[in-house]
Amino acid sequence: MSKQQKQLRLGAFLPGAGQHVAAWRHPQAQSNGALNFEHYKQIAQTAERGKFDAFFLADGLALQQRRGAEGRTAFGGDFEPVTLFSALSAVTEKIGFIATASTTYEDPYILARKFASLDHISGGRAGWNVVTTGSSETAGNFGLENHPIHADRYIRAHEFIDVVKGLWDSWEDDAFVRDKQTAFYYDPNKIHELNHKGRFFSVRGPLNIARPPQGYPVIVQAGSSEDGKELAGRTAEVIFTAQQTLEDAQAFYADVKGRLAKYGRTPDQLKVMPGVFPVVGITEAEAKAKYQELQDLIHPQVGLALLQGLIGTDLSSYPLDEPLPDLPETNDNKSRQALLIDIARKHNFTIRELYQWIAGARGHWTIIGTPVQIADQLESWFVNDAADGFNIMPPYLPGGLDDFVDLVIPELQRRGLFRTEYEGTTLRENLGLSRPVNQYQKVLAAV
């Protein structure tokens, strides 16, 4: 099968009122979307109508106050995503749900249990977006004086994922016989203790819930630092990334796919899905006007605070209309800081121009145009080994998602690039990922 005959994958990244930092102020946005279940129900069903693979939500464990813009940003309260997705799975049928959870601040046993529960509740539609937590503000919420350093967070993440997978394998797939005649609810020979003892964790097991329908919920990763790419090469099945040009995306794609072989994996076992911020118009002029309407709603304090949060440095003492100064390396979002510095240098942006530039996509790829123009660019990346699909980031909700589903997806379908019906019932099936064999059954098969 040629690359052109393959289907690209689409995630829908749908936070609250939308992706743009000023989305909540848009006259057609759902300003209280972050805590409005009926709103989330509507956009989940819209995304499913568009045949998206998954609904994705980022998440953090600290209030993003955006110093200097207190009270002006739409970060004052969001649903915990696994809880939200459990409810949304009851009002949808096929779309997957990818929730973010931290390997730095969460507990592997509890995390394994809640994602297994989501997978059972949804009938096999759960995914775990593995993060090591970039925000140093989180430490104080968990009794720590300092945020762990970047390298240690990734060392912990490798062990954390191994523990979680081991716990998901506690029960063999056919362990629960529920035989009323023999009075055996489960086969005691098909349950396994993990008995893990490592640098960060000591976990006995077994997990007190049956193996997830997918074997493992789909494992997703979003870090693009050197440590992040290595973690993805070893463990991830989907990687969300931020790239700006075809050439940069091709280089990232080749890099991360090239890491798989040393872990006994093949390139098709990892789907690379760059983030895309699409602003859709019937005409190019209409699309540009929609984008400018949002840009005009950016409060300067919010724009600067957003940039400072992403770049990990206080910029308040620097003039907004002068170039970005040389900055020390951060311990927080290393890959995002490097990306934004590179963008500022390439475009010779002032600080103001840089925060205006990132206000929508946060460093992801922005495409402004007609459905044909947007489809052309997505197709170019897909057929030229730069992406296996995309994580779509609508500018405001629900309108920005409606535009993509009603205008762009039919164009992708017309070109044979995107499905017209779901291939399966689980997230793995729809992404074209195989179901992992239980590690204990592998051992028995090898004996």
Side-chain angles (χ1 to χ4, degrees), residues 282-336:
I282 299 300
T283 65
E284 188 175 349
E286 180 185 318
K288 289 179 177 178
K290 286 183 175 182
Y291 180 68
Q292 191 57 50
E293 181 180 18
L294 281 162
Q295 292 294 89
D296 290 343
L297 294 174
I298 304 170
H299 191 283
Q301 290 178 343
V302 172
L304 181 61
L306 172 67
L307 177 59
Q308 291 177 157
L310 292 174
I311 215 160
T313 303
D314 183 356
L315 300 171
S316 59
S317 63
Y318 299 98
L320 291 181
D321 295 310
E322 291 189 8
L324 187 73
D326 292 332
L327 301 174
E329 186 176 60
T330 181
N331 182 40
D332 292 358
N333 298 305
K334 282 182 178 289
S335 58
R336 189 54 51 88

Side-chain angles (χ1 to χ4, degrees), residues 72-354:
R72 296 187 184 274
T73 62
F75 301 123
D78 306 279
F79 288 120
E80 189 283 314
V82 174
T83 308
L84 173 63
F85 286 157
S86 295
L88 290 176
S89 71
V91 294
T92 55
E93 295 180 355
K94 298 291 183 67
I95 192 168
F97 295 103
I98 299 173
T100 297
S102 173
T103 59
T104 302
Y105 291 102
E106 298 210 32
D107 174 85
Y109 192 95
I110 295 173
L111 185 145
R113 189 178 187 219
K114 70 180 179 180
F115 275 90
S117 296
L118 177 59
D119 209 43
H120 280 284
I121 291 168
S122 65
R125 293 185 281 147
W128 170 29
N129 178 42
V130 179
V131 298
T132 65
T133 300
S135 171
S136 57
E137 295 174 345
T138 306
N141 292 338
F142 290 84
L144 299 180
E145 291 292 326
N146 297 301
H147 189 44
I149 65 171
H150 186 271
D152 284 351
R153 298 202 306 270
Y154 274 95
I155 294 170
R156 176 184 164 105
H158 282 274
E159 184 180 343
F160 193 112
I161 294 168
D162 289 344
V163 171
V164 169
K165 285 182 175 180
L167 290 168
W168 283 334
D169 283 339
S170 295
W171 301 84
E172 295 181 29
D173 291 318
D174 57 352
F176 287 89
V177 294
R178 301 183 180 92
D179 190 323
K180 294 181 180 181
Q181 297 302 315
T182 64
F184 271 108
Y185 191 76
Y186 63 84
D187 183 342
N189 296 312
K190 295 187 175 184
I191 183 172
H192 305 277
E193 288 189 0
L194 181 62
N195 290 319
H196 172 88
K197 294 188 183 297
R199 173 178 170 183
F200 294 96
F201 306 107
S202 178
V203 182
R204 185 189 65 193
L207 194 64
N208 58 345
I209 184 171
R211 194 167 192 249
Q214 296 184 101
Y216 307 153
V218 174
I219 295 178
V220 183
Q221 206 263 334
S224 296
S225 66
E226 187 63 25
D227 289 330
K229 288 185 287 188
E230 199 62 26
L231 181 67
R234 179 173 177 262
T235 66
E237 297 170 292
V238 175
I239 184 167
F240 294 147
T241 181
Q243 308 296 331
Q244 289 299 312
T245 67
L246 174 63
E247 294 74 22
D248 287 346
Q250 287 172 320
F252 180 88
Y253 187 93
D255 181 356
V256 73
K257 295 266 188 174
R259 296 171 190 253
L260 298 173
K262 67 182 174 182
Y263 297 112
R265 306 179 66 201
T266 59
D268 62 350
Q269 291 178 299
L270 175 64
K271 310 300 180 184
V272 178
M273 297 175 63
V276 176
F277 178 87
V279 185
V280 189
I282 299 300
T283 65
E284 188 175 349
E286 180 185 318
K288 289 179 177 178
K290 286 183 175 182
Y291 180 68
Q292 191 57 50
E293 181 180 18
L294 281 162
Q295 292 294 89
D296 290 343
L297 294 174
I298 304 170
H299 191 283
Q301 290 178 343
V302 172
L304 181 61
L306 172 67
L307 177 59
Q308 291 177 157
L310 292 174
I311 215 160
T313 303
D314 183 356
L315 300 171
S316 59
S317 63
Y318 299 98
L320 291 181
D321 295 310
E322 291 189 8
L324 187 73
D326 292 332
L327 301 174
E329 186 176 60
T330 181
N331 182 40
D332 292 358
N333 298 305
K334 282 182 178 289
S335 58
R336 189 54 51 88
Q337 183 196 53
L339 175 69
L340 295 179
I341 291 173
D342 181 61
I343 289 166
R345 302 293 182 248
K346 281 182 177 177
H347 296 280
N348 197 29
F349 279 158
T350 64
I351 292 174
R352 188 191 307 275
E353 289 169 334
L354 183 59

Side-chain angles (χ1 to χ4, degrees), residues 8-11 273-274 276 365 378 381-382 387-392:
L8 60 81
R9 313 298 173 181
L10 289 179
M273 297 175 63
V276 176
W365 186 26
L378 298 181
W381 279 36
F382 178 62
D388 296 309
F390 302 93
N391 203 22
I392 302 302

